[in-house]
Amino acid sequence: MRKDIIIVKDPQVAKLFADETRRQILHNLRHHELSTTDLARALHKSHSSIIYHLKLLQDTGLVEKTRVKKKRNLVQTYYVSTAHRYLIS
């Protein structure tokens, strides 16, 4: 279940917001559930770059996996942000 607001107090987690790609990922995921492929296309980034940033965001609880979908020979993992807004304290 997604929260309305998460207050980020941990300085290590707050540092994640310094990166433009991660901010764009969070912005996109707060509106829609998206796959890594969807995010790579939307942000004009490589698939491996998106996976790297998503792992950092997932490890700190800012995004979560919602489902895994097999499409032909491809496995697509979908993500969503854990909050609609983040406040850095």
PDB file of all heavy atoms in Angstrom, residues 7-11 14 87-89:
ATOM      1  N   ILE A   7       8.598  10.860   5.071  1.00  0.00           N
ATOM      2  CA  ILE A   7       9.602  11.829   5.498  1.00  0.00           C
ATOM      3  C   ILE A   7      10.938  11.101   5.573  1.00  0.00           C
ATOM      4  O   ILE A   7      11.086  10.122   6.309  1.00  0.00           O
ATOM      5  CB  ILE A   7       9.233  12.461   6.851  1.00  0.00           C
ATOM      6  CG1 ILE A   7       7.902  13.213   6.720  1.00  0.00           C
ATOM      7  CG2 ILE A   7      10.348  13.387   7.334  1.00  0.00           C
ATOM      8  CD1 ILE A   7       7.333  13.715   8.026  1.00  0.00           C
ATOM      9  N   VAL A   8      11.890  11.570   4.803  1.00  0.00           N
ATOM     10  CA  VAL A   8      13.211  10.951   4.729  1.00  0.00           C
ATOM     11  C   VAL A   8      14.133  11.664   5.716  1.00  0.00           C
ATOM     12  O   VAL A   8      14.428  12.840   5.548  1.00  0.00           O
ATOM     13  CB  VAL A   8      13.779  11.047   3.293  1.00  0.00           C
ATOM     14  CG1 VAL A   8      15.177  10.465   3.230  1.00  0.00           C
ATOM     15  CG2 VAL A   8      12.848  10.379   2.295  1.00  0.00           C
ATOM     16  N   LYS A   9      14.567  10.918   6.735  1.00  0.00           N
ATOM     17  CA  LYS A   9      15.452  11.499   7.755  1.00  0.00           C
ATOM     18  C   LYS A   9      16.879  10.979   7.648  1.00  0.00           C
ATOM     19  O   LYS A   9      17.792  11.612   8.131  1.00  0.00           O
ATOM     20  CB  LYS A   9      14.893  11.196   9.144  1.00  0.00           C
ATOM     21  CG  LYS A   9      13.563  11.865   9.401  1.00  0.00           C
ATOM     22  CD  LYS A   9      13.043  11.556  10.777  1.00  0.00           C
ATOM     23  CE  LYS A   9      11.709  12.244  10.981  1.00  0.00           C
ATOM     24  NZ  LYS A   9      11.137  11.945  12.282  1.00  0.00           N
ATOM     25  N   ASP A  10      17.054   9.832   7.039  1.00  0.00           N
ATOM     26  CA  ASP A  10      18.374   9.214   6.905  1.00  0.00           C
ATOM     27  C   ASP A  10      19.183   9.956   5.840  1.00  0.00           C
ATOM     28  O   ASP A  10      18.767  10.035   4.684  1.00  0.00           O
ATOM     29  CB  ASP A  10      18.208   7.750   6.516  1.00  0.00           C
ATOM     30  CG  ASP A  10      19.519   6.995   6.425  1.00  0.00           C
ATOM     31  OD1 ASP A  10      20.582   7.623   6.247  1.00  0.00           O
ATOM     32  OD2 ASP A  10      19.469   5.757   6.515  1.00  0.00           O
ATOM     33  N   PRO A  11      20.348  10.504   6.190  1.00  0.00           N
ATOM     34  CA  PRO A  11      21.157  11.253   5.216  1.00  0.00           C
ATOM     35  C   PRO A  11      21.584  10.406   4.012  1.00  0.00           C
ATOM     36  O   PRO A  11      21.696  10.917   2.904  1.00  0.00           O
ATOM     37  CB  PRO A  11      22.381  11.707   6.011  1.00  0.00           C
ATOM     38  CG  PRO A  11      22.052  11.517   7.434  1.00  0.00           C
ATOM     39  CD  PRO A  11      20.950  10.527   7.521  1.00  0.00           C
ATOM     40  N   ALA A  14      18.634  10.315   1.770  1.00  0.00           N
ATOM     41  CA  ALA A  14      18.442  11.656   1.201  1.00  0.00           C
ATOM     42  C   ALA A  14      19.410  11.912   0.048  1.00  0.00           C
ATOM     43  O   ALA A  14      19.054  12.582  -0.927  1.00  0.00           O
ATOM     44  CB  ALA A  14      18.603  12.716   2.286  1.00  0.00           C
ATOM     45  N   LEU A  87       9.430  13.935   1.560  1.00  0.00           N
ATOM     46  CA  LEU A  87       9.940  15.161   2.182  1.00  0.00           C
ATOM     47  C   LEU A  87      11.269  14.816   2.834  1.00  0.00           C
ATOM     48  O   LEU A  87      11.355  13.865   3.606  1.00  0.00           O
ATOM     49  CB  LEU A  87       8.974  15.698   3.225  1.00  0.00           C
ATOM     50  CG  LEU A  87       7.625  16.177   2.711  1.00  0.00           C
ATOM     51  CD1 LEU A  87       6.738  16.590   3.879  1.00  0.00           C
ATOM     52  CD2 LEU A  87       7.801  17.333   1.751  1.00  0.00           C
ATOM     53  N   ILE A  88      12.297  15.582   2.515  1.00  0.00           N
ATOM     54  CA  ILE A  88      13.611  15.331   3.095  1.00  0.00           C
ATOM     55  C   ILE A  88      13.796  16.243   4.290  1.00  0.00           C
ATOM     56  O   ILE A  88      13.699  17.454   4.183  1.00  0.00           O
ATOM     57  CB  ILE A  88      14.709  15.555   2.038  1.00  0.00           C
ATOM     58  CG1 ILE A  88      14.492  14.575   0.891  1.00  0.00           C
ATOM     59  CG2 ILE A  88      16.089  15.383   2.664  1.00  0.00           C
ATOM     60  CD1 ILE A  88      15.375  14.789  -0.294  1.00  0.00           C
ATOM     61  N   SER A  89      13.991  15.612   5.443  1.00  0.00           N
ATOM     62  CA  SER A  89      14.102  16.353   6.695  1.00  0.00           C
ATOM     63  C   SER A  89      15.555  16.571   7.065  1.00  0.00           C
ATOM     64  O   SER A  89      16.374  15.715   6.934  1.00  0.00           O
ATOM     65  CB  SER A  89      13.395  15.570   7.797  1.00  0.00           C
ATOM     66  OG  SER A  89      13.609  16.150   9.048  1.00  0.00           O
TER      67      SER A  89
END
